[in-house]
Amino acid sequence: MGTLLAAQSHQAAGASGVFSLTWLLVALPMLGAAVLLLGGRRTDRFGHLLGAALPGAAFVVGVIEFIALLGRDGSDRALSQHLFSWVPAGGFQVDVGLLVDPLSMCFVLLITGVGTLIHVYSIGYMEHDPDRRRFFGYLNLFVAAMLLLVLADSYLTLYVGWEGVGLASYLLIGFWSYNPAYAAAAKKAFVANRVGDFGLSVAIMIMFAQLGTVSFQGVFAGAGHLSEGVATAMGLMLLLGACGKSAQFPLQSWLGDAMAGPTPVSALIHAATMVTAGVYLVVRSAPIFELAPNAQLVVVIVGAVTLIFGAIVGCAKDDIKKALAASTMSQIGYMMLAAGLGPVGYVFAIFHLLTHGFFKAGLFLGAGSVMHGMNDQVDMRRFGGLATVMKVTWITFGLGWLAIIGFPGLSGFWSKDKIIEAAFVGDGWRPWVFGLAALIGAGVTAFYMTRVFLLTFHGKRRWSEDVHPHESPLVMTVPLMILAVGSAFLGLLLGPTGALKTWLEPVTGVPGDESTALPLWSLTVLTVVLVVAGAGLAWSMYLREEVPVTAPRGSWLTRAARVDLYQDALNESLLMRPGQYLTRSLVYADNRGIDGAVNGLAALIGGTSGRFRRLQTGFVRSYALSMFGGAALVVGAMLLVRL
Amino acid sequence: MSFPWLTVIAAVPLAGAVAVALLPSGRSLLAKQVALGVSLVPLVLTVVMSLKFDSGSAAAFQFTENHDWIPQFGVSYALGVDGIGLVLIALTTVLTPVCLLASWRDAEEGRRSAKAYFALMLLLEAAMIGVFAATDVFLFYVLFEAMLIPMYFIIGAYGGAQRSYAAVKFLLYSLFGGLLMLAAVIGLFVVSKGGDHAFLLQNLVGTHFSPSTERLLFLGFFAAFAIKAPLWPLHTWLPDAAAEAPPGGAVLLVGVMDKVGTFGMIRLCLPLFPDASKWAAPVVITLAVIGILYGALLAIAQTDLKRLIAYTSISHFGFITLGIFAMTTQAQSGSTLYMVNHGFSTAALFLIAGFLISRRGSRAIDDFGGVQRVAPMLAGTFLVAGLSSLALPGLSSFVSEFLVLVGTFTRYEVAAVVATAGIILASLYILLMYQRTMTGEPTEETSKLTDLTPREAWVVAPLLAVIIALGFYPKPVLDVINPAVARTMHQVGQHDPAPSAEGVGK
Amino acid sequence: MNPMNYVYLSSFLFAIGAAGVLLRRNAIVVFMCVELMLNACNLAFVTFARMQGNLDGQVIAFFVMVVAAAEVVVGLSIIVVIFRTRRSASVDGANLLKY
């Protein structure tokens, strides 16, 4: 822990040389978004090209900086670029600055690299959409916001990127917002994210109130002064933010609906990058979590629950995108679990995040390619036997499938296995509960991913009559191939060589040598056995046996998993309906209560004066009488006072 | 003697109002052009004045003018601005031409003359500038009440179906508050030292009162400002008035005129009655937090587009009041900035909603739907304005809202956390409104809607530009505000709480 | 003779006039009763002047007479106009100025 604090709190060197270009990383895609969104129809002709070129340019900048970073000492790899003073108010001074360090560099390369591939793919995928330019504008906006998120050097700047990606996600989920269900899904995603943002806001407030600063450097330097209770509160609030963004339990319900967006969006935002921002936040805030073991425990629990939850849901979905979304949720659960384990898990959380970014993006894009050939059909029970007609998609998707289930040698094997091992580290009940959860999750993952793969590409053709599947154009398949290669070999490159571990050490610290509750070799064997069992079960259920076109009723668990284990029903009955009731009754109370009191007072005054008005009879006699009466009163009063 | 900047800035629209009113009837286009031209003059003057403003100056007020008015009672005609007044005057002078341009066709249907409408708007501008510039309590009071007259006629003569109800309600509420304030003004004169320039703010600050007197005087002023702001539960006039007023009038009402309430709290309540302010702070903060959540919850359930926006403003005014009474530098700077930002974002929302309503001929949210398909620019600008209202980072309101929350948190943690829940509700009311009006397939009626005309685009563009610019670079405005806030904090005798973790910042 | 008797007489006349104003319906009679009250006041003024030994009361009596004469002119003409339009001089008939 001591090394960790020292690592992140020491003064980052000022950016010079190639690092003074860091601002371009954010500015380039931002420029694209501005041109495409403000330029309107005028930019229709070249919008998609510009939209794909700018993230590409950012990727080039990223690679140059990465190489430059490699050339520096391990302890000297944090460089900050101060841009401008943003919010100066008394003791609250926030400057916009960018921080390049090994951790953010991982993300920069992932976001710009995978992002560029997905942009290229979208050129083909969105070819027939009249609003393709607007789509690229939103995508560029997303890339800019995501880069700002990971490059920020203070929590408040991070927050800007944090909500910026939320906005881009909202716009892209609702890209076809003329469909009311899609518009509702977009809103749901934004609101669920806002619940998380509430946590992040409060965490930032605690930082300022306690430490007087919100910059990473200042917060981590002062973290040692925090009491454990405060650190726990801060950690839990950060976790709430992470849960919202990363679709972790209990804020997970929006991710499935988010599949309403075009498939490249699902690949980029809801699989590879944005949803992993929560993991980034937890790893980045490691110095805070290190001080709050209870908060860490909650992180692990959230991760474990989500990974099982997502895996169960994934087994029952027939919509290919929703099955993949459930899988994403489950895989991020793995990352979250690892991030909660402390230094022993940080590296593997990021490792799995990177490999997952590749293979899940590949899987989603593959699914998009299938949908492209199948008239946007998403029901896997209507697929089958596509391996022969869509060869490239089949092979690339297959590589992604093998990677995610942890086939020995491919990316997922290296990263996921390490998380399972890390989960078994320690003593007491924890390694058994969390390790077993991770282990079982691996088996279930193998089952549902094999199911997806077999239902889509193998077995009998169950297509509806009017579809004529065909392979997608090169502009779509080339990104698929690149991602497939990445899915296969990225793990090999980074894992067994220890490259990533050394690379991230300055940020995540050096874990001590800790022994696992079971011997390492037995864990590997167990995992492989479970994976084979899961895949075999799927094979026997979905390839050997006939797959009905309409879903059978299924067991209670299947039925529950189809409706996301009743999470929407729960949210609806616990939050939405009482909320609606509350707002409606408040409207009634406002009209009748507060406004009613005001109007009642007005009516009372009006009524009283109406009654007094009746005294004006118009008869001279009565006026004269009241004058006499008045005069008599005055005289009487005078006499009374005189006496 | 130096150039009387403030008098000139306030007098130009006043003279313009008279000139427009004297134009021959029937020349309504000429009247509009003259009004718009006149309203640009204070804008230019304000820009020049802002450039000459010295934010490092030690003086409390700059561009001061001081003349005897009613010397028998120590009343003087005294003007001057600090950073807070300056930014609010700038807000007024920017929004007025925008509103005039937006109201180009609003006053045409109906039997009232467009000429009078434009003259009233200019008159209102003059009064509001005067209020923000007044440094004499009595002058402040007179102008505070004078604002009501043009606004009463704007609502009552040019408003919607329920206009006379709304106008009378607005007037009665405001007059009630004004009367309490008048009593307090008189009380202040009696209690204070008296003599020449007795009502001058500089002479009143630091007056020592007995606690009960101070509290009574504070309550007199505060009641007026709380009604104007409006603070829960004194808010019910606002939805009616804002919904019935024509869009341009509603913008000036909610965007600028209501700011006089919160401005008054900063300008008069805190410096004149520091102890009473601290005494009342817990209650005011509670009311403000209730207002934040209450306004948001009511906004969610509204079925009328303009009422919805009015309720969001009640929520936002809760934030502003919260920041003022949290009495920390961050919160108060945030509140002042929020006044400006809220002016722009609400203006954008009201005006774009006004464009929608005039196209469709209905204010009911359910009568819309699918507008995004037929009028993408209209929908896009509406979304940006809405996102600013829900305080999305990168747009202007975020900076101010976050400053308010952070500043409040350092002193009142629970209040800040509860108020933060308002950001969740904010996303609900804005996105629900957007979903119900803009998304989905266009209905038979909405498919006939047209996109923004060039005139309307010119109305919206400057507002959105300011919203985005202040979101990314609020420093120039904050630099102007900060010294004034520091002075107020000094007058109240409050200091920012130090970072509370042990051993930090020593 | 005791001057107080004049005061009693004037109060008696005033009371008669007041009762007439309150009770009678005919505008002419009401009008005459008003005159009676004015004259009762005049009598009281003159009496008090005599009792106090100065001229103030007598002067005021002249003022009252002048005002009364002017009032007669205006009042009678109003009554005549009302009678012409309504064919009646009843004061109860002319109650248009009510709420």
Side-chain angles (χ1 to χ4, degrees), chain A residues 613-614 616-619 621, chain C residues 18 22 92 95 97-99:
Chain A
R613 204 174 59 170
R614 296 271 156 198
Q616 308 292 318
T617 53
F619 292 117
R621 287 181 280 122
Chain C
L22 290 179
D92 284 4
N95 65 345
L97 279 176
K98 64 178 176 182
Y99 40 81

Side-chain angles (χ1 to χ4, degrees), chain B residues 469-494:
Chain B
L470 282 185
F472 279 101
Y473 201 57
K475 188 170 183 291
V477 181
L478 279 171
D479 281 345
V480 170
I481 293 171
N482 282 336
V485 168
R487 193 167 297 114
T488 312
M489 291 284 292
H490 176 72
Q491 285 162 347
V492 186
Q494 283 282 27

Side-chain angles (χ1 to χ4, degrees), chain A residues 390-413:
Chain A
M390 309 177 84
K391 283 228 160 54
V392 180
T393 309
W394 173 56
I395 293 170
T396 53
F397 197 95
L399 277 173
W401 160 63
L402 290 174
I404 192 174
I405 66 173
F407 188 80
L410 296 185
S411 290
F413 172 75

Side-chain angles (χ1 to χ4, degrees), chain A residues 432-641:
Chain A
W432 295 105
V433 173
F434 300 130
L436 280 178
L439 204 55
I440 293 167
V444 184
T445 305
F447 171 77
Y448 69 75
M449 283 313 298
T450 312
R451 173 175 177 269
V452 168
F453 183 69
L454 294 179
L455 279 179
T456 307
F457 291 102
H458 295 276
K460 264 180 62 180
R461 298 179 173 186
R462 302 178 298 274
W463 313 337
S464 25
E465 264 116 61
D466 51 342
V467 295
H468 308 285
H470 54 86
E471 184 55 278
S472 302
L474 268 182
V475 70
M476 290 168 68
T477 48
V478 169
L480 278 178
M481 295 176 219
I482 300 175
L483 285 172
V485 172
S487 319
F489 301 114
L490 189 69
L492 204 60
L493 193 69
L494 299 177
T497 58
L500 189 70
K501 209 166 168 180
T502 338
W503 171 252
L504 283 176
E505 238 163 39
V507 183
T508 58
V510 192
D513 274 333
E514 294 180 65
S515 54
T516 48
L518 288 173
L520 277 183
W521 62 267
S522 65
L523 284 178
T524 310
V525 170
L526 259 178
T527 313
V528 173
V529 167
L530 272 171
V531 165
V532 171
L537 184 64
W539 177 77
S540 71
M541 281 173 73
Y542 296 102
L543 198 58
R544 271 204 335 200
E545 306 211 352
E546 191 79 356
V547 178
V549 171
T550 49
R553 196 173 132 79
S555 67
W556 66 268
L557 186 62
T558 317
R559 289 201 301 277
R562 274 193 198 126
V563 291
D564 303 326
L565 300 180
Y566 304 114
Q567 54 185 352
D568 283 333
L570 198 71
N571 286 349
E572 193 174 315
S573 58
L574 277 186
L575 298 173
M576 258 177 64
R577 294 211 178 282
Q580 273 174 355
Y581 184 73
L582 175 70
T583 55
R584 278 179 201 154
S585 50
L586 272 181
V587 169
Y588 184 80
D590 197 52
N591 287 338
R592 292 296 148 89
I594 300 179
D595 211 23
V598 174
N599 285 338
L601 188 66
L604 182 72
I605 294 173
T608 317
S609 44
R611 230 147 269 144
F612 277 126
R613 204 174 59 170
R614 296 271 156 198
L615 291 178
Q616 308 292 318
T617 53
F619 292 117
V620 181
R621 287 181 280 122
S622 58
Y623 297 158
L625 184 62
S626 58
M627 269 168 65
F628 273 111
L633 267 179
V634 171
V635 170
M638 282 170 71
L639 287 176
L640 214 67
V641 171

Side-chain angles (χ1 to χ4, degrees), chain B residues 370-382:
Chain B
V371 178
Q372 203 270 335
R373 292 258 14 219
V374 289
M377 257 167 64
L378 192 58
T381 50
F382 194 54

